[in-house]
Amino acid sequence: MNNLVTSTALTFRWLNGQCFEFRFPNGKTLITDPWYQGCGKLGNRCLPNFTTDQLEGGDYIFLNHTHGDHTANVQDVYDRFHSTVITHSATAMEVARCFNVPLTSIYPVDYEGTYYFDGFILETHHATHHRQPSNYTETVERFKGPEFPGSPELNAMGSIFNMNFVLTTEQGLRIAFIGGNDDGMLKRMQGLQKPNIIIRNKMASSKVKINVAEDFAEWFSTADTQLLIPMHYETWLTEDPEFAQKMITDMNRILKDKGKVGQVAPMERGVWYTLNLSIATIN
Ligand SMILES: [Fe+2]
C-alpha cells in the first residue's frame, strides 16, 4: 500500500502497566497511571533504565485507580512538569495527602462526566477492579509496607474506585481506555459513542492464563472497533514473553477467523508511535 496522504491524530507510547504518554496535536501531554519505575518488587517488571528524565511531557496525569502500581511515579511526574492531576473525586483528598501537589492542581472528576481540557475531551465511565478477595483491613495491612507508594487508605480506595475513559481529540478521534472490568462500557460504546481505538487491560489478573486470547478476542469482536492495544501485561512480558506474544498472535488469528476488521497491536514499551488517519492506494 502507498499512502496518498496521512494526518496524525496523536503520538503516544506505552511505558509500563497502564502508564501511557500521549502527545496531542496542540502539544499538550497526558500521562496515565504513572508507573515506570519502582513499586517494591514489582519494579523488576518495569522497562529497565527508564527514568523521569526520559519523559517528554506531563501537562496532565490521569489516575484510573490509586493502587501503588498506578501511582508510583505521580510525585516524579508532578515535580518535573507541574501536572494537573485528574482523579476520581472520592480519592482526591487522599491523593492530596499522599503527594506534594498544590491542592488547586488536583482536578476531581466523577463517573459519567464530560470534561473539556486543552487538547482533548474526557468522558469518564464507572468501572470496577478485577476481582480481589481482601476486605478493608486485609488490604490496608497488605499495603502498609514502605515499598508501596501512597497511603494504605489510598491503596484500599484503588480497589473500590476505578474509572475508565474515552478521549476525543480536537479533530474528533476517539480513544477508549479501559483499566479494569468494562462494567457496561461495551454497551455504552455502541453507535455514535464508538471509539476508533481501545486501550485495554487484560480481561483478568496476570495469574489467570487460561483462555486469555479467546476471551479477549471475543470481547473485542463484540466491541467491533478498529484497533486494540492490550496493556498491563508486563508480568507476562517479564516472566513469560512467549505467552505474551502468543496472546496477540492468537487474538489476531481469531479475529480474522471471525471476519472482523479489528486488529490487535503488539505495542513495544518505551517506543513512540503515531496514530494516523491515512488514505492509501490499493495495489
Ligand atoms: Fe490495581
Side-chain angles (χ1 to χ4, degrees), residues 6-275:
T6 297
S7 170
T8 297
L10 52 76
T11 56
F12 66 136
R13 62 176 168 172
W14 179 35
L15 295 179
N16 195 49
Q18 294 190 175
C19 182
F20 278 74
E21 197 175 357
F22 295 94
R23 181 178 291 281
F24 298 99
N26 73 347
K28 291 290 178 185
T29 49
L30 164 71
I31 295 182
T32 54
D33 291 358
W35 175 44
Y36 45 81
Q37 204 178 26
C39 200
K41 54 180 190 269
L42 295 181
N44 71 357
R45 298 173 191 172
C46 295
L47 202 56
N49 306 321
F50 191 91
T51 65
T52 306
D53 290 344
Q54 293 169 60
L55 293 174
E56 295 196 9
D59 295 305
Y60 302 97
I61 294 172
F62 178 93
L63 301 180
N64 164 260
H65 68 286
T66 54
H67 283 156
D69 57 339
H70 300 256
T71 63
N73 302 113
V74 167
Q75 192 68 60
D76 305 307
V77 176
Y78 178 80
D79 288 347
R80 184 157 169 224
F81 298 108
H82 301 106
S83 327
T84 295
V85 183
I86 306 166
T87 189
H88 188 279
S89 61
T91 67
M93 191 56 85
E94 196 60 22
V95 167
R97 273 163 36 87
C98 291
F99 301 108
N100 182 20
V101 172
L103 298 177
T104 49
S105 293
I106 295 176
Y107 194 105
V109 290
D110 292 297
Y111 294 137
E112 321 312 329
T114 305
Y115 304 87
Y116 294 83
F117 293 101
D118 188 5
F120 62 96
I121 299 169
L122 177 80
E123 292 165 63
T124 58
H125 292 261
H126 188 292
T128 46
H129 200 279
H130 290 149
R131 179 154 170 71
Q132 292 177 317
S134 8
N135 63 20
Y136 175 80
T137 311
E138 290 157 350
T139 305
V140 165
E141 194 58 33
R142 182 175 155 216
F143 287 111
K144 223 162 57 180
E147 71 272 27
F148 287 106
S151 63
E153 286 75 16
L154 189 68
N155 279 278
M157 285 174 179
S159 303
I160 299 175
F161 300 103
N162 200 299
M163 185 177 269
N164 295 330
F165 65 79
V166 178
L167 291 178
T168 304
T169 65
E170 286 179 342
Q171 292 71 35
L173 194 107
R174 286 169 62 73
I175 302 146
F177 184 100
I178 304 181
N181 300 317
D182 92 347
D183 208 59
M185 199 163 164
L186 192 60
K187 292 181 186 142
R188 280 179 251 143
M189 292 190 307
Q190 296 302 320
L192 295 174
Q193 301 305 315
K194 192 166 283 221
N196 302 101
I197 176 168
I198 299 174
I199 301 173
R200 185 171 187 188
N201 191 352
K202 53 214 176 322
M203 302 291 286
S205 99
S206 306
K207 291 179 191 130
V208 179
K209 291 177 84 174
I210 297 167
N211 285 337
V212 168
E214 291 76 7
D215 291 349
F216 211 166
E218 182 60 36
W219 180 87
F220 184 53
S221 75
T222 310
D224 199 13
T225 295
Q226 287 190 295
L227 292 170
L228 174 72
I229 297 171
M231 65 174 167
H232 213 348
Y233 61 104
E234 63 287 341
T235 299
W236 297 338
L237 284 173
T238 308
E239 295 170 6
D240 194 352
E242 270 177 37
F243 178 82
Q245 196 181 346
K246 190 171 179 311
M247 169 184 78
I248 290 175
T249 313
D250 286 353
M251 283 176 77
N252 278 328
R253 179 182 41 77
I254 295 166
L255 289 162
K256 203 169 165 209
D257 289 349
K258 284 174 178 283
K260 295 290 177 186
V261 299
Q263 288 285 291
V264 184
M267 218 166 161
E268 200 178 316
R269 288 179 297 172
V271 176
W272 277 102
Y273 294 92
T274 168
L275 181 63

